[in-house]
Amino acid sequence: MAISTESRFFGLDLNQLKADILKTWRRAPQWPPLSWLRPAQTLRLVPAEGAPTVVWESGEPVLKPGREPVFWALELPEHMVLRKTVALPALDPQDCASAAELEVQAISPFAADDLLWGYTELSRSSKGVKLLVVLASRAQTEPYLQAQVAQQLHLQTLKGQSKAESLEQPEVWVFAPERRPVVFQGFGEQARYALGRKRLWWNVGGVALAVLLVAAIAATPTAQLRLRAIEAVHAYEGMAAKTTDVVAKREALIQSADKVGGLSELLAERIDGVKVLSMLTNVLPDDTALQSARIQGSKVTISGLTENASALMQKLSNQEGVKDVRAPSAATRMGGGNKESFTIELGLDAKVFGPKTVIEVEAAAKQDPAQPAATESAEGVPPVVPAPAPQGATPGAPVAAPAAAAPKASIGGGKPGPTLGGTKSGPSLGGSKPSSPPPATEPGGKKP
């Protein structure tokens, strides 16, 4: 089985691709944006006729040379040179060199070891390239070149300059139309080419270094911010590790505060049954008997017997903190009686009928510190507070004790006093005959 040596990948010749890339890279310094990377060099040109002058490597003279050029060139007389113009397709410069070499080998009248040649492009277009090929005989040109080198060495010695080593290898030029130099191959042009490549790489390195410095300068603030962010993260992690217990306690405190807040909201909507019963005790008239009272949230449903259910609803509506008074069913009068059976629903304001907190009680005590606290007697009965005498009453006349000074109301309680069932003696919300009131006392606390 034969082993293929072709370097192909999906039908693409990798060797040819590599060659094309190298050609493009070699032409890069000739592009206008990058031509400044390889600065032109100066040479001292010794023409076939006339005085030596300093010229650029393109052949144009230097108006104000700053220093003595490192390289120099000799111009061959026209009678020593053969010229030929060659038309080629639109080839790359490297391919043009190979085509010119083939053309020289085909048309040269000199032996291979006696041949000197060079070429230059006269014109280039999309259709083709026109080259100028020059040929010369080494045997004919060497005596002339040696004489010119000896003369230049003598001049350098007279001037006291020590550049003899560079003068020993001059370049050999012939000018094409429009003063375009044609360089013969095999003389001192390789040293100039090497120096040009060296300067090119130095310039490329300098540009790359400048780009890296600019990139570093541009990235420095971002890098500093990154480092600060990393440092801040490490500091935060260290602080978090040190404050784990504090953070846990804080979380527990926040949870407790949330629970307290939720409890406060529930308490704010809670209705105090004692206040509701106290309000009903004070509002319901004597002809009204309350059979049941049910508290559901801020809604109270009462039912019982009364002489005028409409008047009772109106009276309840006028109370502070009472709202939405309505009768879910019509009042009915019992047969042969003067009582109406009623069922009334009413809404209560939690701000008025809600339970008082410890803070509110302490605030009320601070606002009225002179009011003595009510204390029970040894028998467990609260002291009777004398009511103010009614208008028009004579001083010293007996005054009946108010109902508020009577024992606490209870629903079916065992102690005597006001009841909601009206079954025991004393004032009641059931409309029964009240018991005899306690003996009146004088304002001075004495019995009449």
Side-chain angles (χ1 to χ4, degrees):
M1 180 178 179
I3 300 177
S4 176
T5 58
E6 294 184 356
S7 299
R8 290 185 175 274
F9 183 75
F10 291 106
L12 181 65
D13 190 354
L14 298 181
N15 293 331
Q16 184 63 34
L17 177 62
K18 181 180 179 181
D20 294 340
I21 293 175
L22 291 177
K23 290 178 181 179
T24 305
W25 176 252
R26 288 171 185 157
R27 292 198 306 269
Q30 300 176 2
W31 299 340
L34 301 178
S35 59
W36 58 274
L37 292 175
R38 185 182 181 276
Q41 303 179 26
T42 58
L43 299 92
R44 175 168 292 276
L45 175 63
V46 179
E49 297 179 359
T53 57
V54 178
V55 298
W56 296 105
E57 59 184 356
S58 61
E60 297 180 359
V62 179
L63 300 178
K64 296 180 179 180
R67 57 182 180 178
E68 184 68 20
V70 179
F71 306 101
W72 70 299
L74 293 173
E75 181 185 3
L76 285 180
E78 286 296 325
H79 65 276
M80 296 183 180
V81 179
L82 299 178
R83 301 169 180 262
K84 183 179 180 181
T85 302
V86 180
L88 299 174
L91 302 176
D92 294 334
Q94 288 78 12
D95 296 335
C96 289
S98 301
E101 184 176 2
L102 292 176
E103 185 67 20
V104 166
Q105 293 176 359
I107 65 173
S108 175
F110 310 110
D113 55 351
D114 190 36
L115 176 64
L116 298 177
W117 70 278
Y119 79 98
T120 187
E121 291 185 5
L122 297 178
S123 62
R124 174 179 288 273
S125 64
S126 59
K127 297 181 179 180
V129 181
K130 185 177 291 186
L131 302 181
L132 175 63
V133 178
V134 294
L135 296 85
S137 172
R138 186 183 298 272
Q140 294 179 0
T141 57
E142 278 186 355
Y144 175 79
L145 296 177
Q146 292 176 0
Q148 292 292 335
V149 169
Q151 183 179 0
Q152 294 300 319
L153 287 175
H154 179 69
L155 293 176
Q156 293 287 349
T157 304
L158 294 179
K159 294 180 180 180
Q161 299 178 358
S162 56
K163 294 290 183 69
E165 65 279 0
S166 62
L167 292 176
E168 292 178 355
Q169 288 292 332
E171 298 184 22
V172 179
W173 286 11
V174 172
F175 284 95
E178 299 180 0
R179 294 293 295 177
R180 183 176 304 175
V182 181
V183 182
F184 279 89
Q185 308 292 327
F187 292 94
E189 73 281 354
Q190 296 299 328
R192 180 168 58 86
Y193 294 160
L195 182 60
R197 289 191 296 268
K198 183 177 180 181
R199 288 183 178 180
L200 173 63
W201 285 112
W202 273 106
N203 293 338
V204 170
V207 171
L209 180 61
V211 171
L212 291 177
L213 291 177
V214 171
I217 293 173
T220 297
T222 305
Q224 289 180 351
L225 293 177
R226 173 65 177 170
L227 294 177
R228 290 177 182 176
I230 294 174
E231 184 179 358
V233 169
H234 291 334
Y236 175 79
E237 292 176 353
M239 186 63 66
K242 293 179 181 179
T243 59
T244 303
D245 298 338
V246 179
V247 171
K249 293 179 180 179
R250 178 178 175 274
E251 293 294 334
L253 180 60
I254 292 176
Q255 294 177 1
S256 301
D258 294 340
K259 293 179 181 179
V260 171
L263 183 59
S264 300
E265 293 179 358
L266 293 177
L267 291 177
E269 298 176 357
R270 183 185 172 191
I271 301 300
D272 190 355
V274 176
K275 289 185 179 181
V276 176
L277 294 179
S278 177
M279 184 269 295
L280 293 176
T281 302
N282 295 331
V283 171
L284 296 180
D286 294 339
D287 60 355
T288 302
L290 189 63
Q291 294 176 345
S292 66
R294 184 172 57 184
I295 302 176
Q296 294 179 338
S298 61
K299 179 181 178 182
V300 177
T301 304
I302 60 176
S303 60
L305 301 174
T306 185
E307 291 183 357
N308 192 344
S310 299
L312 179 59
M313 291 178 63
Q314 185 66 30
K315 191 174 183 180
L316 288 172
S317 300
N318 295 332
Q319 297 299 314
E320 182 184 1
V322 179
K323 56 185 179 180
D324 301 334
V325 179
R326 69 185 187 90
S329 61
T332 59
R333 187 176 294 274
M334 304 298 293
N338 59 351
K339 298 289 186 178
E340 294 180 355
S341 176
F342 67 89
T343 300
I344 301 175
E345 293 180 354
L346 59 147
L348 302 178
D349 189 357
K351 295 182 180 179
V352 178
F353 293 96
K356 290 186 177 180
T357 61
V358 177
I359 299 177
E360 294 176 351
V361 173
E362 293 180 354
K366 290 180 181 179
Q367 291 178 359
D368 193 7
Q371 183 179 1
T375 59
E376 294 184 354
S377 60
E379 292 79 8
V381 180
V384 178
V385 180
Q391 295 181 359
T394 59
V399 180
K408 297 181 179 179
S410 64
I411 302 177
K415 291 185 179 182
T419 65
L420 297 177
T423 58
K424 292 187 180 292
S425 62
S428 68
L429 298 178
S432 61
K433 185 177 179 179
S435 61
S436 59
T441 58
E442 294 181 351
K446 297 180 180 180
K447 296 182 180 180

